[in-house]
């Protein structure tokens, strides 16, 4: 909803700035006596209560600055008669108006849904607004289009979303300069043929209506570039659509379409045709093969119900579709099948007959950590971990699964796959990639069972089934890599696979300091069944670049072998017979592992190979620590790949400031590290990812390795600023956390765990006092709850604020805050969504400090606002705090080891608490 609102506001500005005739009036700034809502040529009354009274008062005074107004925004949450009387004054008092926004939606219901305004019609006198180019009537109760609208001959943009329109008038065709029309979320059942007369129209959105047919005249929209007809009841399309030669985007998903015109594939500018979730069983080959067509959720290739049912039998056209909100973690599946979209963006499609009995499917999206993620030495993680259960459920037909993932950087001979776990082992599923939008990719696979799923970038894998008669396996990425299985190599068929990894020559030469050093591609061979073959298997590897079989020095050629979990590579050149051709080396083996050809003058090649192999797996990163400009106690910690540092800092430095990034360090995919605040600074909360004041991380190169924490200090900040630091160390937080002096000594070792130290400065308290827009609401410790039931500290509330996003007004209303205060916060922090959220939450928390039941009230408000995910996070924080409190009272002897804990019944306790 927030994104849509931003889009409409930008549309308003764009439409009103077009080169339409302007009145000969210059815009002037508001004078000292002008009201605050009248600024220059803009009159914004939608943020103020009783906006109609304000406008009537200005009109009664004949305020001269009204003649300058070109933009008017007025809320329609007013008395209908008062609203009509106010709008009747607009043409005579604002003759040069170019943009008129009469929107509802500012108020929300008990469940947080936007409420429609009271507007049901417009005064006929508004047709006198000859300069009006932008009209927004969204979120109202219009059942018919007001008669004055088609008479606005200069209208360029018309927004009618979220009303009750069932039909559009024929007179709409009189708007000859209209370029943008949206009528989404209405009750339209048919369209007027006059719609085709809107020859200037470029964008038309009719989604979320009840349309079952389209008039053929729609093909006359010669300048149309975007057409959205999603979520209607269309069963067919007029052939005239193929005449929309300017069309770039055509969205038709979630209809009842059984066919589409074949000519759509030949539209010259079309870049996206969305046909998902229809009833298409057959498509022309031109559309089936087109890369811009989206077809998920269609029964392509299935038998038509018409051929299976006698005439007159009702036809079931639509598979049930479920869209889960964030407070739901399960959904039902029946033998009829269904299409499901989870709150986290994951999509599933259960075909009819996938299950013979109804089942309830549960899901959870886990944050990635080594215990839940299985990665090979050269793999990269591209998504979180999705768990679906009950585990191991077998389906009669494969279930389709779509996982959203981070688009990877282009890497030679790599591929994206979905990885799943079954019977304590991980395997990769056949995966197809689908692009929904730029930088928005889906990994689609067929799921044979339910378990854990994640998206991985891996080196290209080639596999085959080796029969007793023998076979040949070749690499698709490196044609010179081959494995030949002779007859009799195995008694029973077994699966084998190969992966090939390339190493750049410049990296090797930089590592060895040897200009002529070279290596072949790195080959990994794996198999199922017995560890050895009955007959030797022939492996072919290309010779290192720049080396030929007729000119090489045999003493410099080394064949290296590595068998996990060994730590070193072994030189097996003397143990095999190397057959050399002009370009290739062949050798025979009886069991599979890793093989690598080296050409170098070095002697101890095994140790060098280990270092080179590690270099292949390392990522160069920088560490940053930034403090929010308006709130220095809030610190952002992030680990970034070196190529993303500059772009990330440009985006963050508007709201944060801090030292330069650290020097470049190298990290492995999935490597653990932690941040420790030092020199008098500590983390100001107990967090699930915080151990002894150290913030834990796991590095994944394609995911966001970022956390925001609240810090505090025990030092006196009234006298002077506190100059502390944050240091980053490799590994998990040790059981005995070293003191700063000891940690400093450890930094000097060859295998030091220390990676970087960045300065952190907390300014003097005098610099933070005040009540301006950027000031902290409170400098005193702010804790909700108590020790036994659990505290929510400033840092915890900051974490909650960071998760709310545009849902914060619904949470505020459920917390009991008056709507007028919400409007004031919106106005004071208008261009700063983060500021709105933090101000709302912290001002409420200050009023609740020390009051019983505040935490429970916050939990209820989150749940009532459909933010169960944030409520669960708050409960996890409270549970962590309760456990620490219980441990502390045991350590201090305030409770016996087996005494009753807070929350347990008296019957569960065997001894009374001891003082």
């Amino acid at each position: 909803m927030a994104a849509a609102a931003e889009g409409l506001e930008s549309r308003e500005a764009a439409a009103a700035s077009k080169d339409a005739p302007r009145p000969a009036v210059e815009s002037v700034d508001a004078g000292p006596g002008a009201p605050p809502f009248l600024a220059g040529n803009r009159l914004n009354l939608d943020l103020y209560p009783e906006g109609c009274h304000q406008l009537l008062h200005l009109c009664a005074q004949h305020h001269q600055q009204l003649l300058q107004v070109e933009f008017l925004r007025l809320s329609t949450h007013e008395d209908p008669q008062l609203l009509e009387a106010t709008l009747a004054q607009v043409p005579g008092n604002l003759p040069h108006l170019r943009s008129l926004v009469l929107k509802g939606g500012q108020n929300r219901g008990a469940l947080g849904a936007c409420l429609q305004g009271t507007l049901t019609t417009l005064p006929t006198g508004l047709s006198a607004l000859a300069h009006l180019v932008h009209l927004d009537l969204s979120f109202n109760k219009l059942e018919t289009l007001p008669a004055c609208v088609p008479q606005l001959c200069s209208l360029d943009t018309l927004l009618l979303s979220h009303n009750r329109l069932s039909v559009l008038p024929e007179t709409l065709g009189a708007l000859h300069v209209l370029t943008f029309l949206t009528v989404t979320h209405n009750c339209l059942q048919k369209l007027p043929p006059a719609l085709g007369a809107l020859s200037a129209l470029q964008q038309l959105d009719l989604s979320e209506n009840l349309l079952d047919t389209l008039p053929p005249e729609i093909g006359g929209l010669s300048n149309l570039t975007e057409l959205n007809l999603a979520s209607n009841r269309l069963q067919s399309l007029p052939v005239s659509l193929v005449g929309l030669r300017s069309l770039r985007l055509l969205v038709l998903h979630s209809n009842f379409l059984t066919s589409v015109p074949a000519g759509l594939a030949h539209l010259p500018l079309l870049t996206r045709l969305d046909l998902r979730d229809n009833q298409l069983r057959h498509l022309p080959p031109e559309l089936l093969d087109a890369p811009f067509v989206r077809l998920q959720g269609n029964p392509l290739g299935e038998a038509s119900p018409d051929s299976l049912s006698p005439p007159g039998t009702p036809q079931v056209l639509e598979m049930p579709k479920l869209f889960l909100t964030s407070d739901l973690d399960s959904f039902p599946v029946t033998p009829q099948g269904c299409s499901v979209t989870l709150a986290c963006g994951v999509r599933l499609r259960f075909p009819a007959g996938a299950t013979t009995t109804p089942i309830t499917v549960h899901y959870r999206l886990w944050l990635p950590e080594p215990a839940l993620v299985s990665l090979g030495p050269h793999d990269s993680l591209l998504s979180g971990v999705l768990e679906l259960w009950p585990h191991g459920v077998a389906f009669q037909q494969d279930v389709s699964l779509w996982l959203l993932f981070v688009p990877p950087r282009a890497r030679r001979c790599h591929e994206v796959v979905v990885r799943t776990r079954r019977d304590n082992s991980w395997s990769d599923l056949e995966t197809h990639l689908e692009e929904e939008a730029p930088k928005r990719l889906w990994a689609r696979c067929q799921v044979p069972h339910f378990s854990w799923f994640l998206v991985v970038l891996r080196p290209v894998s080639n596999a085959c089934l080796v029969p007793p008669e023998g076979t040949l396996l070749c690499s698709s990425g490196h044609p010179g890599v081959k494995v030949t299985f002779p007859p009799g190599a195995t008694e029973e068929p077994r699966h084998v696979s190969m992966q090939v990894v390339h190493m750049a020559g410049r990296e090797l030469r930089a590592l060895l300091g040897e200009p002529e050093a070279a290596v072949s591609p790195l080959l990994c061979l794996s198999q199922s069944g017995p560890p050895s073959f009955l007959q030797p298997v022939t492996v072919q590897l290309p010779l290192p670049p720049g080396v030929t079989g007729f000119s090489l020095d045999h003493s410099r050629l080394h064949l290296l072998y590595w068998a996990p979990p060994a730590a070193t590579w072994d030189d097996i050149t003397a143990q095999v017979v190397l057959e050399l051709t002009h370009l290739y080396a062949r050798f025979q083996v009886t069991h599979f592992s890793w093989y690598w050809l080296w050409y170098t003058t070095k002697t101890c090649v095994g140790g060098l190979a280990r270092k080179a192999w590690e270099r292949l797996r390392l990522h160069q990163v920088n560490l940053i620590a930034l403090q929010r400009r308006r709130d220095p106690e809030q610190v952002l910690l992030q680990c970034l790949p070196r190529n993303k540092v500059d772009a990330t800092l440009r985006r963050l430095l508007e709201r944060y400031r801090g030292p330069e990034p650290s020097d470049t360090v190298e990290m492995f995919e999935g490597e653990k590290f932690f941040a420790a605040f030092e020199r008098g600074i500590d983390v100001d909360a107990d967090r699930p990812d915080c151990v002894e004041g150290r913030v834990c991380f796991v590095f994944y190169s394609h995911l966001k390795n970022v956390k925001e924490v609240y810090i505090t200090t025990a030092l006196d900040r009234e006298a002077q600023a506190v100059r502390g630091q944050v240091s980053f160390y490799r590994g998990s937080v040790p059981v005995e956390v070293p003191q700063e002096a000891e940690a400093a000594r450890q930094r000097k070792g060859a295998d030091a765990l220390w990676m970087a130290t960045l300065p952190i400065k907390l300014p003097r308290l005098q610099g933070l006092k005040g009540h301006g827009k950027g000031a902290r609401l409170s400098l005193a410790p702010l804790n909700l709850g108590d020790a036994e039931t659990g505290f929510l500290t400033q840092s915890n509330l900051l974490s909650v604020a960071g998760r709310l996003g545009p849902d914060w007004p619904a949470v505020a209303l459920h917390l009991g805050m008056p709507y007028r205060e919400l409007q004031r916060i919106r106005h004071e922090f208008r261009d700063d969504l983060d500021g709105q959220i933090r101000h709302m939450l912290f001002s409420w928390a200050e009023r609740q400090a020390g009051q019983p039941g505040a935490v429970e009230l916050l939990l209820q408000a989150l749940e009532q606002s459909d933010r169960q995910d944030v409520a669960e996070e708050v409960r996890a924080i409270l549970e962590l705090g309760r456990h620490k409190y219980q441990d502390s009272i045991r350590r201090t002897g305030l409770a016996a080891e087996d005494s009753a804990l807070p929350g347990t019944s008296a019957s569960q306790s065997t001894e009374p608490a001891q003082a």
Side-chain angles (χ1 to χ4, degrees), residues 673-685:
F673 66 102
F674 64 91
F677 289 93
E678 301 166 344
R679 294 188 177 178
I681 293 180
D682 200 359
V683 179
D684 186 26

Side-chain angles (χ1 to χ4, degrees), residues 276-348:
R276 291 173 298 153
D277 298 318
N278 278 280
Q279 298 298 314
L280 297 169
R281 288 182 171 81
H282 304 285
L283 274 181
E286 303 96 316
L287 289 175
L288 279 174
D289 300 334
F292 55 81
V293 180
R294 304 292 179 262
L295 293 170
Q296 303 97 309
N298 282 285
L300 290 170
E302 297 181 9
S304 171
D306 293 339
S307 62
L308 304 175
S309 305
T313 302
Q315 183 176 348
V316 179
L317 294 175
E318 187 177 16
M319 172 181 286
K321 300 173 185 177
L322 305 177
F323 297 88
L324 271 60
T325 55
S326 57
D327 60 330
L328 298 177
D329 62 357
S330 65
F331 55 91
V333 178
T334 66
Q336 183 183 358
C338 63
S339 174
V340 184
T341 300
L342 307 182
C344 57
V346 174
R347 300 203 304 259
L348 298 105

Side-chain angles (χ1 to χ4, degrees), residues 86 91 139 215 260 377 566 664 739 815:
T86 304
F139 286 96
V260 294
T664 300
Q739 298 297 320
L815 288 173

